[in-house]
């Protein structure tokens, strides 16, 4: 049973403890001692079920006499796992998907429901080429079921992107993104790293448009490879790498990264600064600073110091002290659904609380920027509530700051001080970056 039993435990942990799937998966794989192909199958099952949850429930409800959400736990999770294997995993025979699901019901103490599991999954298998159509009358509802995203989010996206691009965004969120790394230019260069990775059986190609980044295939657990351990690369989405590029940090500068953990933007800034100058990496949570320190040690960066503190609370010793201040704000994360599939199920209510925190961070950060210095606000979300609306309000209140244009390689080109990146347009995570200058 291995992979399936572990996958079920992970899904139950997400349901009962509101755990994030990626963290619960990592912990459970370790506890159950799953490695290699079994671990890969388990990850595929967990991500696949989370990515397709609403669609799977739609099909399950067509063949189950009880409403899926009325089923006793963990029957719904068992049925979702079985249906996912039947509908998406060609290499798993339908009979194996059905039988292992019946077995899971028995070992989970739901043996009395094994007949139901058997019957529902057999019907799905028999009808898999002629499944019931999703009603298309209500556009948002159709897209919500088809791509398993909450309806409120689909409606919001439709109003921003229109039908065609909304569908492309939702589909991209259910795709597996490429693994992207930034080259540590202090230790190697792209050409040498590509060759070195090849020696480890990893295919690396330069990112189509973001300088200094490589896309990897066949990496497996990258952290076990020498180039990773020797600090020659940083795992980072190309969108995140763009923050230091857009900030335009230079060797010798003083930089404050106000919301820094686990350190990605600080590391990328240190690369751009040739590790010369001063980077203060601050985070609210002291326990997260260790991740920054460990990362800096692995990458051999000495320009970074860490500091715990609430970025909303003024520290007089930092007043007008920094050439560049980065505010990589806590956000809803709706731009990284392709990496954290369960982010989509966040409550819409968060969208009312987060901008208050983001605004307070930005207001305070502004006080640390030296005259003529740069303030960069970024998030890994795509909704204007946490992006343009926050920076617009900030600029209205702070007449000493203005948006400052920048140029990136195609497909972005010239931007008037702010940029929203989208997976379906740019092949990156969904991300927002705004560069502002203090007069
Ligand atoms: C988007 S993450 C930052 C990611 C980081 N910049 C990187 O590139 O690895 C947001 C961070 O803000 C921190 N945070 C949340 N509220 C904060 C506050 N009031 N002051 C400072 N940091 C805060 C969180 O702990 C979290 O680590």
């Amino acid at each position: 049973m291995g992979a399936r039993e572990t996958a079920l435990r992970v899904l139950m942990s997400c349901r009962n403890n509101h755990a994030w799937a990626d963290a619960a998966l990592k912990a459970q794989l370790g506890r159950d001692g799953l490695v290699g192909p079994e671990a890969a199958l388990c990850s595929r099952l967990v991500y696949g079920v989370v990515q397709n949850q609403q669609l799977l429930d739609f099909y399950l409800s067509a063949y189950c006499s009880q409403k899926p959400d009325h089923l006793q736990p963990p029957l719904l999770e068992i049925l979702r796992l079985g249906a996912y294997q039947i509908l998406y995993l060609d290499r798993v025979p339908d009979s194996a998907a059905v039988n292992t699901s019946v077995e899971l019901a028995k070992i989970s103490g739901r043996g009395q429901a094994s007949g139901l599991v058997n019957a529902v999954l057999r019907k799905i298998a028999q009808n898999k080429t002629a499944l019931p159509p999703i009603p298309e009358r209500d556009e948002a509802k159709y897209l919500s079921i088809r791509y398993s995203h909450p309806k409120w989010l689909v409606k919001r996206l439709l109003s921003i992107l229109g039908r065609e691009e909304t569908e492309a965004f939702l589909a991209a969120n259910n795709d597996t993104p490429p693994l992207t790394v930034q080259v540590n230019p202090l230790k190697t260069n792209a050409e040498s790293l590509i060759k070195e990775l090849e020696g480890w059986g990893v295919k690396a190609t330069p990112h189509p448009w973001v300088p200094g980044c490589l896309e990897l295939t066949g990496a497996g657990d990258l952290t076990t490879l020498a180039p990773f351990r020797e600090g020659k690369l940083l795992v980072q989405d190309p969108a995140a790498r763009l923050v230091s590029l857009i900030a335009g940090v230079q060797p010798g500068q003083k930089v404050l990264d106000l919301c820094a953990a686990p350190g990605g933007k600080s590391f990328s800034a240190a690369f751009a600064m040739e590790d010369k100058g001063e980077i203060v990496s601050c985070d609210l949570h002291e326990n997260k600073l260790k991740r920054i320190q460990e990362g800096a040690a692995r990458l051999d960066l000495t320009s970074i110091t860490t500091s715990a503190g609430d970025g909303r609370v003024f520290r007089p010793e930092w007043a007008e002290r920094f050439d560049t201040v980065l505010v990589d704000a806590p956000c809803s994360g709706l731009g990284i659904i392709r990496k954290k599939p369960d982010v989509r199920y966040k409550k819409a209510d968060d969208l009312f609380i987060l901008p208050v925190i983001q605004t307070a961070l930005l207001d305070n950060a502004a006080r640390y920027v030296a005259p003529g210095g740069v303030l960069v606000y970024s998030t890994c979300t795509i909704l204007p509530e946490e992006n343009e609306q926050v920076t617009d309000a900030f600029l209205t209140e702070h007449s000493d700051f203005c948006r400052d244009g920048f140029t990136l390689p195609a497909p972005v080109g010239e931007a008037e001080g702010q940029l929203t990146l989208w997976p379906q347009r740019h092949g990156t995570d969904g991300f927002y970056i705004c560069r502002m200058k203090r007069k």
Side-chain angles (χ1 to χ4, degrees), residues 258-265 283-285 288 309-312 328-330 361:
L258 198 61
C259 304
K265 314 294 179 304
D283 202 276
L284 177 63
H285 302 290
K288 290 190 183 179
D310 188 334
R312 295 167 294 186
D328 191 33
L361 285 164

Side-chain angles (χ1 to χ4, degrees), residues 21-330:
D22 55 349
L25 176 66
K26 196 172 167 207
Q28 198 64 49
L29 286 174
R31 274 196 292 273
D32 293 356
L34 249 59
V35 288
E38 281 293 286
L41 174 59
C42 178
S43 308
R44 190 64 246 135
L45 292 173
V46 169
Y47 276 79
V49 165
V50 176
Q51 283 168 336
N52 296 286
Q53 190 170 298
Q54 281 165 260
L55 185 60
L56 292 171
D57 289 0
F58 174 79
Y59 292 134
L60 286 170
S61 62
Y63 297 109
C64 185
S65 52
Q66 292 184 50
K67 281 191 162 186
D69 52 0
H70 289 180
L71 291 165
Q72 290 281 323
L75 286 177
L76 178 54
E77 282 72 18
I78 291 171
L79 284 170
R80 284 174 180 160
L81 278 167
Y84 176 73
Q85 292 169 72
I86 292 167
L87 298 177
Y88 292 91
L89 296 190
D90 292 343
R91 64 203 156 93
V92 177
D94 292 348
S95 56
V98 176
N99 295 340
T100 51
S101 302
V102 168
E103 230 12 72
L104 272 183
K106 287 182 185 161
I107 59 175
S108 308
R110 296 278 166 220
Q112 78 284 11
S114 55
L116 176 139
V117 171
N118 185 48
V120 172
L121 293 179
R122 275 191 193 288
K123 278 189 214 152
I124 290 192
Q126 281 156 13
N127 292 289
K128 72 177 178 185
T129 52
L131 290 163
I134 306 164
E136 293 204 40
R137 236 192 354 255
D138 178 340
E139 188 177 50
K141 191 170 175 192
Y142 167 78
L143 291 172
S144 165
I145 295 171
R146 170 68 187 82
Y147 296 99
S148 296
H149 282 65
K151 194 174 171 189
W152 73 264
L153 179 58
V154 174
K155 278 181 153 176
R156 196 69 198 87
L157 289 163
L158 282 168
S159 71
I160 298 168
L161 297 173
R163 162 73 190 241
E164 202 178 318
E165 236 200 314
T166 294
E167 195 156 359
F169 174 72
L170 299 173
N173 284 345
N174 288 348
D175 256 359
T176 309
L179 175 63
T180 318
V181 298
Q182 190 182 350
V183 182
N184 180 351
L186 306 168
K187 291 198 166 228
T188 185
N189 57 45
E191 207 182 321
S192 308
L193 186 58
I194 288 173
K195 279 208 191 97
E196 199 179 338
L197 285 166
E198 244 170 40
W200 291 94
V202 180
K203 186 171 168 358
T205 47
H207 188 272
W209 67 274
V210 178
C213 288
L214 304 178
E215 288 186 348
L216 310 189
T217 35
D221 183 359
L222 191 61
T223 61
T224 60
L225 303 186
F228 178 88
R229 281 188 273 111
E230 290 163 9
K232 291 180 178 163
L233 53 89
L234 166 67
V235 176
Q236 187 166 60
D237 191 84
R241 184 267 179 275
L242 290 175
V243 170
S244 61
L245 199 67
I246 289 171
V249 289
Q250 300 294 327
Q253 284 190 335
K254 291 189 179 72
V255 174
L256 172 65
D257 185 358
L258 198 61
C259 304
K265 314 294 179 304
S266 293
F267 304 149
S268 186
F271 294 167
M273 292 161 64
E274 299 165 15
D275 204 26
K276 292 180 190 132
E278 190 190 326
I279 301 174
V280 179
S281 303
C282 168
D283 202 276
L284 177 63
H285 302 290
E286 182 145 23
N287 59 330
K288 290 190 183 179
L289 298 183
K290 201 161 161 255
R291 294 273 308 275
I292 306 177
Q293 290 151 4
E294 285 168 356
R298 181 180 68 82
L299 297 162
D300 260 341
L301 300 170
T302 55
S303 56
I304 294 174
T305 53
T306 56
S307 171
D310 188 334
R312 295 167 294 186
V313 179
F314 182 56
R315 295 202 205 182
E317 70 275 21
W318 286 355
E320 299 195 349
R321 185 166 181 272
F322 295 94
D323 303 298
T324 302
V325 177
L326 307 177
V327 182
D328 191 33

